[in-house]
Amino acid sequence: MAVDAKEMTTPVQGDQKLIEVKNVSQEFKLPNGKELKVLENIDLCINKREVVALLGPSGCGKSTILRILAGLITPSKGNVFYHDQPLHDLNTGVSIVFQSFALFPWMTVAENIQTALQSRGFPANEIDDRAQKAIQMVGLAGFEETYPRELSGGMKQRVGMARALSVDPEILFMDEPFSHVDALTAESLRAEVIDIWAAHDKNPSSILLVSHDIPEVAYMADRIVVLGTNPGHIVKVVENKLPRPRDYRSQDFMKMVDLLHEIITGHEIPDAPEPVLKPNEQPAAEPLPDTLPSIMVGLLEYLDAREGKEEIFRIATETEREFGEVIKIVKALELLDFVDTPKRMVVLTPDGQRFVKATSQERQNIWKEQLLKLRLFKQVNEMLTKHPRARLGADLVQEIIIFNLPSENYEKTFEIFVHWAMFGNLFAYDEDTKKIFYPRKRVYKPKPKANGKAEGVGDATVPTQATETAPTAETLDSVNTVEPAPETPKPEEPTPKT
């Protein structure tokens, strides 16, 4: 059953609540001095004897919420409570299993676990016994003297679990713990974690799981908190009433997976009409999803091989990519008008079909055309068009990004901007001088023979402009912001990967 975010805070008796956040928001200061809001108005409670999952795409603040609940981060706004008492320091009732294995490579399995116990201040006569019990619990008996380099990924994560469980935590936090192991190992580890939690006579009493994997949370969680982005916020809370043990292949399980897919895809790539601008109102600049052009082209070719359309969660399954990453790729292609997203489908548009059928040079030209429909690329192009042989400093382009997208990470957006622009041969970028400029293209001319007849080809470099004419660059343009660009060779043409 899906519950609206506003209706999710069902009253819970005080003795049942373990940890709670009320009206929590989180902001981080960027290098330019601006504030980046990553969480907004989060209300969440974890009760005794339950598994709660935070599910959402990359960048929605899942790990930030986990760190706030653990006392590793103090929220910018709002309150954190542990057993109804304000939390102002590290939460001693919590242990964390991290996404990376985070093991000391010079220590054995036993020593890695003992170090965690020592840091918690356990008496020396208890440490060996607790470490051995934790090793037995996660199935690592016989590997006590083994070093991390001698272990598989699954066994390394078992060490991380043993280390977290050795301190007898009331709540076990797991931050995408199975993302670095193969599918079969992950399935086995999930089942073992649930078996450990199901023993009611000992800790952990509850588990908080951060994940992007929909089947994973459907298998493990009793309550699934679906998060949205920009800034991170709670979209819905889904109560998972499926009986344990759960079967990945059962009809009810698949219905739960489909429901979660519907919630995420409907929120992240909604079927919404284009906004209507007021008279004289400038369109807003579009944030650039963090994905590479070669990956975007690969998805276009994948769709072309499937009659131009496919369900988004089937794409994630068949390409073995994180669902959040697939969302980003689809958003990027939708931004360039290469795909449309009705309901759960991803469908090639006419421009997308034209792109996949085109030659390499034609693809470059189509890509360039689509980029120039986006405000950031259009503004930089307007400035260069006035001075075709000039160069723009990276700091100036980053200022344009900050002006248009103050809530985005401007350095990351600039990196994406450069990748997309170079793929379409729209702009070139010199890493050494940190300058953006028009690439040079070679024009081939016949070489005259001694008798005056043409033979072979010669070449000369000429500046190429992205468009014949361009509108004024508004207040961003300034003659003092550009400098002459030297002749440079044509950059290698990017090769799309399938």
Side-chain angles (χ1 to χ4, degrees):
M1 178 180 74
V3 182
D4 288 335
K6 293 179 180 178
E7 302 171 352
M8 60 163 260
T9 53
T10 305
V12 178
Q13 292 182 1
D15 61 350
Q16 290 300 311
K17 288 191 293 187
L18 293 180
I19 190 167
E20 182 178 20
V21 289
K22 292 183 178 179
N23 196 31
V24 160
S25 297
Q26 181 64 45
E27 296 179 349
F28 294 112
K29 183 167 286 188
L30 297 174
N32 63 359
K34 293 184 177 292
E35 297 287 342
L36 174 64
K37 180 170 281 191
V38 295
L39 292 175
E40 185 171 49
N41 299 331
I42 301 295
D43 290 300
L44 179 64
C45 178
I46 300 172
N47 306 313
K48 292 181 179 179
R49 304 308 313 163
E50 70 170 347
V51 180
V52 177
L54 303 180
L55 175 68
S58 299
C60 68
K62 303 185 297 293
S63 295
T64 302
I65 294 174
L66 180 144
R67 282 159 173 74
I68 289 173
L69 288 167
L72 296 171
I73 297 175
T74 301
S76 306
K77 174 187 171 185
N79 299 293
V80 186
F81 299 92
Y82 181 54
H83 287 289
D84 289 326
Q85 298 300 313
L87 181 68
H88 299 299
D89 206 339
L90 290 177
N91 192 331
T92 56
V94 166
S95 279
I96 304 177
V97 179
F98 295 98
Q99 180 178 2
S100 59
F101 306 123
L103 303 178
F104 296 115
W106 59 87
M107 292 185 179
T108 64
V109 167
E111 289 169 343
N112 265 284
I113 298 168
Q114 290 165 359
T115 298
L117 291 163
Q118 290 165 358
S119 67
R120 285 288 187 99
F122 283 93
N125 59 346
E126 288 186 25
I127 288 177
D128 287 344
D129 185 50
R130 281 179 173 270
Q132 191 58 44
K133 285 181 179 177
I135 288 170
Q136 294 280 351
M137 191 183 302
V138 300
L140 282 176
F143 292 91
E144 291 86 348
E145 301 305 315
T146 306
Y147 289 91
R149 65 177 179 273
E150 301 169 314
L151 300 174
S152 66
M155 294 179 75
K156 288 178 184 176
Q157 196 57 289
R158 287 176 188 272
V159 179
M161 290 164 51
R163 182 175 55 191
L165 293 169
S166 66
V167 300
D168 195 32
E170 187 172 28
I171 313 173
L172 180 65
F173 283 7
M174 308 188 79
D175 190 359
E176 300 193 17
F178 312 123
S179 58
H180 287 174
V181 299
D182 64 88
L184 289 176
T185 301
E187 191 170 320
S188 173
L189 289 173
R190 290 182 202 121
E192 289 185 32
V193 169
I194 294 301
D195 286 344
I196 291 169
W197 164 79
H200 286 217
D201 58 334
K202 56 186 177 181
N203 284 330
S205 172
S206 297
I207 296 174
L208 176 64
L209 171 70
V210 167
S211 181
H212 58 264
D213 188 314
I214 291 177
E216 178 173 272
V217 301
Y219 178 83
M220 295 188 70
D222 302 305
R223 229 169 5 115
I224 301 160
V225 182
V226 182
L227 297 167
T229 57
N230 298 321
H233 61 281
I234 295 176
V235 177
K236 282 189 180 293
V237 177
V238 179
E239 300 284 346
N240 187 356
K241 301 294 187 182
L242 294 177
R244 301 182 188 276
R246 293 170 182 166
D247 183 356
Y248 290 95
R249 296 161 295 182
S250 73
Q251 188 174 0
D252 288 340
F253 186 89
M254 294 308 299
K255 285 181 180 178
M256 175 59 68
V257 170
D258 284 348
L259 171 62
L260 295 172
H261 275 299
E262 289 280 6
I263 294 170
I264 292 179
T265 56
H267 179 74
E268 289 300 314
I269 43 177
D271 302 320
E274 291 293 324
V276 178
L277 298 177
K278 299 176 182 178
N280 301 321
E281 183 181 1
Q282 290 289 339
E286 307 86 348
L288 305 181
D290 181 11
T291 187
L292 292 173
S294 57
I295 296 174
M296 296 159 66
V297 172
L299 182 53
L300 290 175
E301 293 175 344
Y302 169 94
L303 293 171
D304 183 52
R306 287 157 180 77
E307 300 182 349
K309 60 183 179 180
E310 187 56 271
E311 289 182 321
I312 188 166
F313 57 85
R314 187 177 295 277
I315 294 173
T317 301
E318 291 189 354
T319 61
E320 297 183 349
R321 290 188 177 277
E322 298 177 4
F323 189 73
E325 184 182 357
V326 174
I327 289 284
K328 285 193 293 188
I329 301 168
V330 171
K331 277 185 170 181
L333 292 172
E334 193 173 33
L335 193 63
L336 295 177
D337 292 328
F338 286 144
V339 302
D340 195 10
T341 53
K343 302 296 182 182
R344 297 184 299 177
M345 300 299 295
V346 182
V347 182
L348 286 177
T349 62
D351 282 329
Q353 293 170 354
R354 182 164 62 100
F355 182 89
V356 293
K357 302 300 183 188
T359 64
S360 178
Q361 183 59 51
E362 290 169 343
R363 283 186 174 190
Q364 195 174 74
N365 293 335
I366 295 169
W367 188 276
K368 184 188 302 183
E369 291 171 11
Q370 302 305 101
L371 287 184
L372 287 171
K373 296 178 182 178
L374 304 182
R375 185 167 176 80
L376 286 180
F377 295 93
K378 191 183 299 183
Q379 287 188 357
V380 174
N381 184 61
E382 287 170 0
M383 299 182 73
L384 280 175
T385 299
K386 289 188 171 184
H387 311 281
R389 295 177 62 82
R391 290 186 160 206
L392 300 180
D395 54 349
L396 173 62
V397 178
Q398 289 174 355
E399 285 180 17
I400 296 172
I401 292 169
I402 293 169
F403 177 80
N404 284 278
L405 301 167
S407 296
E408 297 293 314
N409 182 328
Y410 70 94
E411 291 177 324
K412 188 63 181 177
T413 299
F414 176 75
E415 182 182 331
I416 300 164
F417 176 93
V418 169
H419 280 302
W420 290 22
M422 292 181 67
F423 188 81
N425 205 32
L426 174 57
F427 308 127
Y429 179 61
D430 189 324
E431 283 279 359
D432 294 329
T433 62
K434 307 296 183 186
K435 302 290 183 181
I436 283 179
F437 51 94
Y438 281 136
R440 310 300 182 197
K441 70 176 181 180
R442 295 185 179 276
V443 177
Y444 294 93
K445 298 179 180 179
K447 289 183 179 178
K449 270 188 174 182
N451 59 9
K453 293 184 180 180
E455 179 185 55
V457 293
D459 61 66
T461 57
V462 298
T464 172
Q465 297 184 23
T467 56
E468 294 181 3
T469 60
T472 306
E474 302 171 0
T475 58
L476 291 170
D477 188 24
S478 170
V479 176
N480 295 327
T481 62
V482 296
E483 61 183 55
E487 299 292 331
T488 59
K490 178 181 176 181
E492 291 184 8
E493 179 179 324
T495 303
K497 298 180 181 178
T498 304

Tab-separated table of all heavy atoms in Angstrom, residues 46-89:
chain	number	residue	atom	x	y	z
A	46	ILE	N	11.973	5.444	12.755
A	46	ILE	CA	12.285	4.013	12.688
A	46	ILE	C	11.873	3.400	14.013
A	46	ILE	O	12.305	3.843	15.082
A	46	ILE	CB	13.785	3.791	12.434
A	46	ILE	CG1	14.187	4.437	11.109
A	46	ILE	CG2	14.110	2.304	12.402
A	46	ILE	CD1	15.674	4.440	10.867
A	47	ASN	N	11.023	2.386	13.942
A	47	ASN	CA	10.467	1.750	15.129
A	47	ASN	C	11.174	0.441	15.428
A	47	ASN	O	11.979	-0.056	14.631
A	47	ASN	CB	8.967	1.508	14.922
A	47	ASN	CG	8.241	2.768	14.527
A	47	ASN	OD1	8.434	3.820	15.140
A	47	ASN	ND2	7.417	2.683	13.489
A	48	LYS	N	10.855	-0.131	16.566
A	48	LYS	CA	11.416	-1.423	16.935
A	48	LYS	C	10.908	-2.521	15.997
A	48	LYS	O	9.788	-2.481	15.504
A	48	LYS	CB	11.033	-1.774	18.379
A	48	LYS	CG	11.695	-0.885	19.428
A	48	LYS	CD	11.295	-1.312	20.832
A	48	LYS	CE	11.965	-0.432	21.889
A	48	LYS	NZ	11.572	-0.822	23.249
A	49	ARG	N	11.774	-3.497	15.761
A	49	ARG	CA	11.441	-4.710	15.015
A	49	ARG	C	10.916	-4.420	13.597
A	49	ARG	O	9.906	-4.948	13.178
A	49	ARG	CB	10.422	-5.562	15.765
A	49	ARG	CG	10.801	-5.977	17.161
A	49	ARG	CD	12.163	-6.637	17.249
A	49	ARG	NE	12.357	-7.650	16.218
A	49	ARG	CZ	13.544	-8.156	15.857
A	49	ARG	NH1	14.646	-7.714	16.418
A	49	ARG	NH2	13.625	-9.070	14.923
A	50	GLU	N	11.606	-3.556	12.867
A	50	GLU	CA	11.224	-3.336	11.479
A	50	GLU	C	12.458	-3.061	10.630
A	50	GLU	O	13.508	-2.643	11.135
A	50	GLU	CB	10.223	-2.190	11.332
A	50	GLU	CG	10.773	-0.805	11.608
A	50	GLU	CD	9.799	0.297	11.217
A	50	GLU	OE1	8.803	0.019	10.516
A	50	GLU	OE2	10.044	1.464	11.612
A	51	VAL	N	12.311	-3.304	9.325
A	51	VAL	CA	13.343	-2.978	8.341
A	51	VAL	C	12.791	-1.860	7.470
A	51	VAL	O	11.745	-2.006	6.837
A	51	VAL	CB	13.707	-4.190	7.464
A	51	VAL	CG1	14.793	-3.813	6.450
A	51	VAL	CG2	14.165	-5.362	8.325
A	52	VAL	N	13.477	-0.727	7.466
A	52	VAL	CA	13.070	0.441	6.684
A	52	VAL	C	14.087	0.653	5.572
A	52	VAL	O	15.295	0.546	5.798
A	52	VAL	CB	12.982	1.704	7.562
A	52	VAL	CG1	12.619	2.927	6.720
A	52	VAL	CG2	11.971	1.503	8.682
A	53	ALA	N	13.612	0.933	4.364
A	53	ALA	CA	14.503	1.173	3.235
A	53	ALA	C	14.291	2.579	2.691
A	53	ALA	O	13.153	3.045	2.583
A	53	ALA	CB	14.258	0.144	2.129
A	54	LEU	N	15.388	3.244	2.375
A	54	LEU	CA	15.353	4.523	1.670
A	54	LEU	C	15.678	4.229	0.215
A	54	LEU	O	16.782	3.775	-0.109
A	54	LEU	CB	16.375	5.494	2.251
A	54	LEU	CG	16.256	5.802	3.746
A	54	LEU	CD1	17.351	6.776	4.172
A	54	LEU	CD2	14.887	6.377	4.078
A	55	LEU	N	14.721	4.493	-0.669
A	55	LEU	CA	14.853	4.146	-2.082
A	55	LEU	C	14.740	5.396	-2.934
A	55	LEU	O	13.830	6.216	-2.730
A	55	LEU	CB	13.751	3.147	-2.479
A	55	LEU	CG	13.654	2.768	-3.958
A	55	LEU	CD1	14.874	1.954	-4.394
A	55	LEU	CD2	12.376	1.968	-4.214
A	56	GLY	N	15.631	5.545	-3.893
A	56	GLY	CA	15.548	6.695	-4.782
A	56	GLY	C	16.763	6.793	-5.675
A	56	GLY	O	17.758	6.084	-5.481
A	57	PRO	N	16.723	7.678	-6.658
A	57	PRO	CA	17.844	7.830	-7.592
A	57	PRO	C	19.044	8.481	-6.930
A	57	PRO	O	18.955	9.028	-5.821
A	57	PRO	CB	17.261	8.732	-8.690
A	57	PRO	CG	16.204	9.524	-7.981
A	57	PRO	CD	15.615	8.601	-6.960
A	58	SER	N	20.178	8.422	-7.611
A	58	SER	CA	21.379	9.073	-7.104
A	58	SER	C	21.126	10.565	-6.909
A	58	SER	O	20.470	11.198	-7.723
A	58	SER	CB	22.538	8.873	-8.091
A	58	SER	OG	22.813	7.502	-8.252
A	59	GLY	N	21.649	11.103	-5.814
A	59	GLY	CA	21.509	12.527	-5.567
A	59	GLY	C	20.270	12.935	-4.807
A	59	GLY	O	20.024	14.131	-4.634
A	60	CYS	N	19.484	11.970	-4.324
A	60	CYS	CA	18.253	12.331	-3.612
A	60	CYS	C	18.472	12.460	-2.103
A	60	CYS	O	17.531	12.746	-1.366
A	60	CYS	CB	17.148	11.323	-3.900
A	60	CYS	SG	17.419	9.683	-3.211
A	61	GLY	N	19.688	12.226	-1.628
A	61	GLY	CA	19.984	12.448	-0.212
A	61	GLY	C	19.823	11.244	0.689
A	61	GLY	O	19.778	11.383	1.916
A	62	LYS	N	19.780	10.036	0.122
A	62	LYS	CA	19.603	8.828	0.937
A	62	LYS	C	20.716	8.686	1.979
A	62	LYS	O	20.463	8.507	3.167
A	62	LYS	CB	19.573	7.574	0.032
A	62	LYS	CG	18.519	7.563	-1.040
A	62	LYS	CD	18.487	6.244	-1.789
A	62	LYS	CE	19.754	5.926	-2.555
A	62	LYS	NZ	19.990	6.835	-3.692
A	63	SER	N	21.955	8.767	1.503
A	63	SER	CA	23.089	8.584	2.411
A	63	SER	C	23.206	9.733	3.400
A	63	SER	O	23.663	9.540	4.529
A	63	SER	CB	24.387	8.445	1.603
A	63	SER	OG	24.353	7.263	0.818
A	64	THR	N	22.787	10.931	2.999
A	64	THR	CA	22.819	12.071	3.922
A	64	THR	C	21.853	11.844	5.082
A	64	THR	O	22.177	12.131	6.239
A	64	THR	CB	22.456	13.365	3.171
A	64	THR	OG1	23.369	13.555	2.083
A	64	THR	CG2	22.539	14.569	4.096
A	65	ILE	N	20.655	11.320	4.793
A	65	ILE	CA	19.697	10.998	5.857
A	65	ILE	C	20.294	9.972	6.817
A	65	ILE	O	20.199	10.098	8.045
A	65	ILE	CB	18.376	10.474	5.259
A	65	ILE	CG1	17.670	11.582	4.467
A	65	ILE	CG2	17.450	9.946	6.355
A	65	ILE	CD1	16.436	11.116	3.717
A	66	LEU	N	20.920	8.939	6.247
A	66	LEU	CA	21.529	7.903	7.085
A	66	LEU	C	22.585	8.504	8.007
A	66	LEU	O	22.644	8.189	9.204
A	66	LEU	CB	22.135	6.828	6.181
A	66	LEU	CG	22.815	5.640	6.861
A	66	LEU	CD1	22.563	4.356	6.065
A	66	LEU	CD2	24.307	5.873	6.970
A	67	ARG	N	23.411	9.400	7.490
A	67	ARG	CA	24.473	9.991	8.300
A	67	ARG	C	23.919	10.938	9.361
A	67	ARG	O	24.497	11.061	10.440
A	67	ARG	CB	25.480	10.695	7.380
A	67	ARG	CG	26.427	9.700	6.712
A	67	ARG	CD	27.076	10.248	5.464
A	67	ARG	NE	28.091	9.330	4.952
A	67	ARG	CZ	27.833	8.185	4.333
A	67	ARG	NH1	26.570	7.822	4.124
A	67	ARG	NH2	28.796	7.399	3.899
A	68	ILE	N	22.831	11.603	9.058
A	68	ILE	CA	22.189	12.453	10.066
A	68	ILE	C	21.640	11.601	11.201
A	68	ILE	O	21.814	11.919	12.384
A	68	ILE	CB	21.073	13.303	9.418
A	68	ILE	CG1	21.684	14.397	8.524
A	68	ILE	CG2	20.176	13.927	10.474
A	68	ILE	CD1	20.671	15.171	7.711
A	69	LEU	N	20.986	10.493	10.861
A	69	LEU	CA	20.441	9.602	11.885
A	69	LEU	C	21.545	8.968	12.724
A	69	LEU	O	21.341	8.655	13.903
A	69	LEU	CB	19.593	8.512	11.220
A	69	LEU	CG	18.250	8.956	10.635
A	69	LEU	CD1	17.662	7.871	9.753
A	69	LEU	CD2	17.274	9.316	11.745
A	70	ALA	N	22.721	8.761	12.110
A	70	ALA	CA	23.842	8.165	12.845
A	70	ALA	C	24.594	9.195	13.676
A	70	ALA	O	25.503	8.827	14.439
A	70	ALA	CB	24.797	7.497	11.868
A	71	GLY	N	24.250	10.473	13.541
A	71	GLY	CA	24.945	11.511	14.279
A	71	GLY	C	26.251	11.945	13.648
A	71	GLY	O	27.020	12.693	14.250
A	72	LEU	N	26.511	11.515	12.403
A	72	LEU	CA	27.743	11.902	11.716
A	72	LEU	C	27.641	13.301	11.128
A	72	LEU	O	28.656	13.949	10.878
A	72	LEU	CB	28.061	10.898	10.603
A	72	LEU	CG	28.366	9.467	11.053
A	72	LEU	CD1	28.452	8.541	9.852
A	72	LEU	CD2	29.662	9.427	11.848
A	73	ILE	N	26.394	13.752	10.856
A	73	ILE	CA	26.143	15.093	10.319
A	73	ILE	C	25.085	15.756	11.187
A	73	ILE	O	24.084	15.122	11.544
A	73	ILE	CB	25.636	15.027	8.859
A	73	ILE	CG1	26.689	14.403	7.940
A	73	ILE	CG2	25.261	16.418	8.344
A	73	ILE	CD1	26.207	14.205	6.517
A	74	THR	N	25.299	17.014	11.518
A	74	THR	CA	24.278	17.796	12.222
A	74	THR	C	23.421	18.495	11.173
A	74	THR	O	23.956	19.218	10.331
A	74	THR	CB	24.919	18.843	13.142
A	74	THR	OG1	25.754	18.177	14.096
A	74	THR	CG2	23.851	19.644	13.868
A	75	PRO	N	22.105	18.295	11.185
A	75	PRO	CA	21.270	18.896	10.140
A	75	PRO	C	21.265	20.419	10.227
A	75	PRO	O	21.387	20.997	11.311
A	75	PRO	CB	19.885	18.305	10.415
A	75	PRO	CG	19.902	17.916	11.847
A	75	PRO	CD	21.311	17.509	12.151
A	76	SER	N	21.104	21.066	9.068
A	76	SER	CA	21.023	22.534	9.039
A	76	SER	C	19.768	23.021	9.735
A	76	SER	O	19.739	24.116	10.305
A	76	SER	CB	21.035	23.019	7.583
A	76	SER	OG	22.142	22.509	6.887
A	77	LYS	N	18.720	22.195	9.677
A	77	LYS	CA	17.437	22.570	10.275
A	77	LYS	C	16.746	21.299	10.746
A	77	LYS	O	16.892	20.244	10.147
A	77	LYS	CB	16.568	23.297	9.240
A	77	LYS	CG	15.163	23.621	9.689
A	77	LYS	CD	14.339	24.170	8.534
A	77	LYS	CE	12.870	24.297	8.915
A	77	LYS	NZ	12.043	24.712	7.760
A	78	GLY	N	15.973	21.399	11.815
A	78	GLY	CA	15.218	20.255	12.304
A	78	GLY	C	15.909	19.553	13.459
A	78	GLY	O	16.978	19.972	13.933
A	79	ASN	N	15.293	18.459	13.935
A	79	ASN	CA	15.767	17.768	15.132
A	79	ASN	C	15.860	16.262	14.901
A	79	ASN	O	15.094	15.687	14.120
A	79	ASN	CB	14.804	18.033	16.304
A	79	ASN	CG	14.726	19.517	16.647
A	79	ASN	OD1	15.682	20.113	17.117
A	79	ASN	ND2	13.561	20.116	16.390
A	80	VAL	N	16.814	15.656	15.615
A	80	VAL	CA	17.006	14.209	15.590
A	80	VAL	C	16.828	13.686	17.010
A	80	VAL	O	17.381	14.263	17.961
A	80	VAL	CB	18.407	13.837	15.066
A	80	VAL	CG1	18.537	12.327	14.913
A	80	VAL	CG2	18.696	14.542	13.746
A	81	PHE	N	16.056	12.605	17.154
A	81	PHE	CA	15.792	12.035	18.476
A	81	PHE	C	16.152	10.557	18.485
A	81	PHE	O	15.856	9.833	17.532
A	81	PHE	CB	14.317	12.198	18.855
A	81	PHE	CG	13.859	13.629	18.924
A	81	PHE	CD1	13.299	14.248	17.810
A	81	PHE	CD2	13.986	14.363	20.099
A	81	PHE	CE1	12.880	15.562	17.865
A	81	PHE	CE2	13.571	15.677	20.162
A	81	PHE	CZ	13.012	16.281	19.042
A	82	TYR	N	16.770	10.115	19.574
A	82	TYR	CA	17.033	8.697	19.801
A	82	TYR	C	16.409	8.331	21.136
A	82	TYR	O	16.767	8.895	22.170
A	82	TYR	CB	18.539	8.434	19.804
A	82	TYR	CG	18.913	6.982	20.019
A	82	TYR	CD1	18.390	5.983	19.204
A	82	TYR	CD2	19.793	6.609	21.031
A	82	TYR	CE1	18.725	4.655	19.392
A	82	TYR	CE2	20.147	5.286	21.233
A	82	TYR	CZ	19.605	4.315	20.411
A	82	TYR	OH	19.925	2.983	20.603
A	83	HIS	N	15.448	7.409	21.099
A	83	HIS	CA	14.648	7.077	22.284
A	83	HIS	C	14.043	8.339	22.896
A	83	HIS	O	14.093	8.545	24.123
A	83	HIS	CB	15.481	6.315	23.316
A	83	HIS	CG	15.768	4.894	22.916
A	83	HIS	ND1	14.806	3.913	22.891
A	83	HIS	CD2	16.908	4.294	22.499
A	83	HIS	CE1	15.339	2.765	22.491
A	83	HIS	NE2	16.620	2.976	22.248
A	84	ASP	N	13.496	9.176	22.042
A	84	ASP	CA	12.798	10.415	22.417
A	84	ASP	C	13.702	11.465	23.059
A	84	ASP	O	13.215	12.486	23.545
A	84	ASP	CB	11.622	10.112	23.367
A	84	ASP	CG	10.486	9.404	22.655
A	84	ASP	OD1	10.261	9.700	21.467
A	84	ASP	OD2	9.833	8.558	23.291
A	85	GLN	N	15.017	11.252	23.033
A	85	GLN	CA	15.955	12.234	23.563
A	85	GLN	C	16.708	12.887	22.407
A	85	GLN	O	17.115	12.203	21.455
A	85	GLN	CB	16.954	11.569	24.518
A	85	GLN	CG	16.312	10.950	25.744
A	85	GLN	CD	15.564	11.971	26.594
A	85	GLN	OE1	16.083	13.053	26.892
A	85	GLN	NE2	14.342	11.632	26.977
A	86	PRO	N	16.895	14.218	22.443
A	86	PRO	CA	17.620	14.890	21.361
A	86	PRO	C	19.012	14.292	21.171
A	86	PRO	O	19.719	14.000	22.140
A	86	PRO	CB	17.701	16.341	21.833
A	86	PRO	CG	16.574	16.497	22.806
A	86	PRO	CD	16.440	15.165	23.484
A	87	LEU	N	19.374	14.093	19.899
A	87	LEU	CA	20.684	13.520	19.579
A	87	LEU	C	21.619	14.658	19.153
A	87	LEU	O	21.365	15.351	18.172
A	87	LEU	CB	20.543	12.505	18.434
A	87	LEU	CG	21.819	11.799	17.987
A	87	LEU	CD1	22.314	10.861	19.078
A	87	LEU	CD2	21.573	11.016	16.697
A	88	HIS	N	22.709	14.843	19.911
A	88	HIS	CA	23.639	15.928	19.618
A	88	HIS	C	25.043	15.410	19.315
A	88	HIS	O	25.957	16.194	19.074
A	88	HIS	CB	23.724	16.897	20.806
A	88	HIS	CG	22.410	17.545	21.131
A	88	HIS	ND1	21.725	18.345	20.234
A	88	HIS	CD2	21.641	17.503	22.258
A	88	HIS	CE1	20.610	18.780	20.791
A	88	HIS	NE2	20.528	18.283	22.018
A	89	ASP	N	25.207	14.114	19.317
A	89	ASP	CA	26.544	13.535	19.093
A	89	ASP	C	26.366	12.236	18.315
A	89	ASP	O	25.291	11.954	17.799
A	89	ASP	CB	27.225	13.289	20.436
A	89	ASP	CG	28.742	13.314	20.318
A	89	ASP	OD1	29.241	13.129	19.195
A	89	ASP	OD2	29.413	13.503	21.348
